[in-house]
Amino acid sequence: MTAESREHVRRHYDALGDGEWHRLTGDVKGRVSLAVHRRLLAECVRPGHRVLEVGAGPGRFTLELAALGTSVVVTDLSPVQLALNEEHLRGTEAETAVERREVLDVCDAGRYSDGEFDVVVAFGGPLSYAFEQAGDALRGLLRITRPGGLVVGSVMSLLGTWRHLLPGVLQVAEAIGEDANDLILRTGDLRHKAGNDGHVCRMFRSRDLDALVRAAGGEVVVLSASNWASLGDQDLLVELEADPSRWARFLEHEIAACREPGAVDGGTHLLFAARHRQP
Ligand SMILES: C[S@@+](CC[C@H](N)C(=O)[O-])C[C@H]1O[C@@H](n2cnc3c(N)ncnc32)[C@H](O)[C@@H]1O
């Protein structure tokens, strides 16, 4: 990642401010995504675990980690997001789970000792913002995770985003030209959008993510999409959500579907849990 890309992303999240707080609660597909992420987290952390949260943002998953009985070092590239994280947790029981907060670029975990965390969490795409340094960044996160511990994260999905946002993608292709669009689809790198003035990140295919983890000395132990069926008819889903027992069943089916090999590339995000590769 160039210093310029890092600055671009930091400015984006500084300016977005509290808008990020509503990303996973403001609409029904966001709430499903929250449920999919929460399930993976609940499977990967235990009470008493010491967790590094990377790209924590305003604190959706800091709250979850606190509720799961962990202690958390909360970090983010954006000082504004870190301040919001503190604001959202201030005065709640969850704040007692926070060991400290500090600015951290996912590419620069050198300040932490080998194996000092039980689990490292990087939800919502910090690795998608590391661009060409994503492999080194992941190697760094695995280094600071104890043997047997997990790096749990999510990155933006290339194929699922293409499918879900096709009308917008076609508009962009028209604006930037089909060659630039081909390049985006080949590399997942949205910096090929001319001008780079909007949101940029690197999107992944599941096979890219698997290769990245393996090259960093790890192995993927859980892979999931977010979302699958819940990217469909939103009005129908709102109706379903109003019926708690049908909704609970739907969520169970959705979480299971998201982990099917045939579905993992179909959501807007790819979730993973990775550990040091076993000899
Ligand atoms: C989409 S938000 C996700 C927030 C939270 N983890 C969640 O999933 O709700 C992405 C977060 O990653 C942070 N971020 C972006 N680039 C990063 C980097 N290179 N290192 C660490 N954090 C980064 C942003 O500032 C932002 O707070």
Side-chain angles (χ1 to χ4, degrees), residues 21 58-59 62-64 66-67 85-98 101:
W21 176 248
T62 317
L63 287 171
E64 290 298 323
N85 186 293
E86 189 177 359
E87 213 173 281
H88 283 292
L89 269 73
R90 192 180 299 140
T92 70
E93 178 69 20
E95 183 61 13
T96 61
V98 176
R101 289 184 176 84

Side-chain angles (χ1 to χ4, degrees), residues 1 6 9 13 20 23-24 53-58 60-61 76-78 81 104-107 123-126 129-130 156:
M1 175 172 55
R6 181 183 299 114
V9 171
Y13 279 102
E20 174 56 28
R23 183 174 62 93
L24 296 175
E53 190 182 10
V54 181
R60 263 306 147 211
F61 294 107
D76 201 284
L77 181 67
S78 155
Q81 292 297 328
L104 175 78
D105 180 349
V106 67
C107 301
F123 274 161
Y129 297 116
M156 285 57 151

Side-chain angles (χ1 to χ4, degrees), residues 232-249:
D233 188 323
Q234 298 294 287
D235 293 341
L236 204 62
L237 282 170
V238 169
E239 271 177 42
L240 201 58
E241 193 183 27
D243 179 334
S245 82
R246 288 186 75 205
W247 186 241
R249 277 175 187 251

Side-chain angles (χ1 to χ4, degrees), residues 75-259:
T75 70
D76 201 284
L77 181 67
S78 155
V80 171
Q81 292 297 328
L82 268 188
L84 287 166
N85 186 293
E86 189 177 359
E87 213 173 281
H88 283 292
L89 269 73
R90 192 180 299 140
T92 70
E93 178 69 20
E95 183 61 13
T96 61
V98 176
E99 198 177 296
R100 63 179 188 272
R101 289 184 176 84
E102 55 199 21
V103 170
L104 175 78
D105 180 349
V106 67
C107 301
D108 189 20
R111 77 186 71 163
Y112 306 114
S113 307
D114 289 359
E116 79 163 281
F117 296 101
D118 296 294
V119 174
V120 173
V121 174
F123 274 161
L127 288 166
S128 272
Y129 297 116
F131 296 101
E132 47 283 282
Q133 284 178 29
D136 289 342
L138 188 56
R139 184 177 290 280
L141 300 185
L142 282 164
R143 179 188 66 75
I144 62 176
T145 306
R146 67 162 167 79
L150 294 168
V151 175
V152 186
S154 59
V155 294
M156 285 57 151
S157 165
L158 173 60
L159 298 179
T161 301
W162 183 40
R163 183 173 69 108
H164 178 53
L165 299 179
L166 188 61
V169 172
L170 294 180
Q171 262 179 12
V172 169
E174 213 171 309
I176 66 176
E178 292 297 338
D179 288 347
N181 189 53
D182 287 353
L183 207 52
I184 293 175
L185 283 174
R186 194 159 67 242
T187 63
D189 191 336
L190 281 175
R191 291 176 302 178
H192 294 299
K193 275 191 302 185
N196 262 357
D197 48 352
H199 175 248
V200 293
C201 66
R202 178 182 165 197
M203 302 171 289
F204 289 81
R205 293 175 172 79
S206 58
R207 63 180 158 87
D208 304 327
L209 180 64
D210 189 63
L212 191 84
V213 171
R214 294 194 75 75
E219 63 184 351
V220 172
V221 290
V222 183
L223 191 59
S224 170
S226 179
N227 312 44
W228 174 247
S230 52
L231 292 179
D233 188 323
Q234 298 294 287
D235 293 341
L236 204 62
L237 282 170
V238 169
E239 271 177 42
L240 201 58
E241 193 183 27
D243 179 334
S245 82
R246 288 186 75 205
W247 186 241
R249 277 175 187 251
F250 173 80
L251 285 180
E252 287 308 316
H253 290 307
E254 177 75 342
I255 289 168
C258 282
R259 295 189 187 190

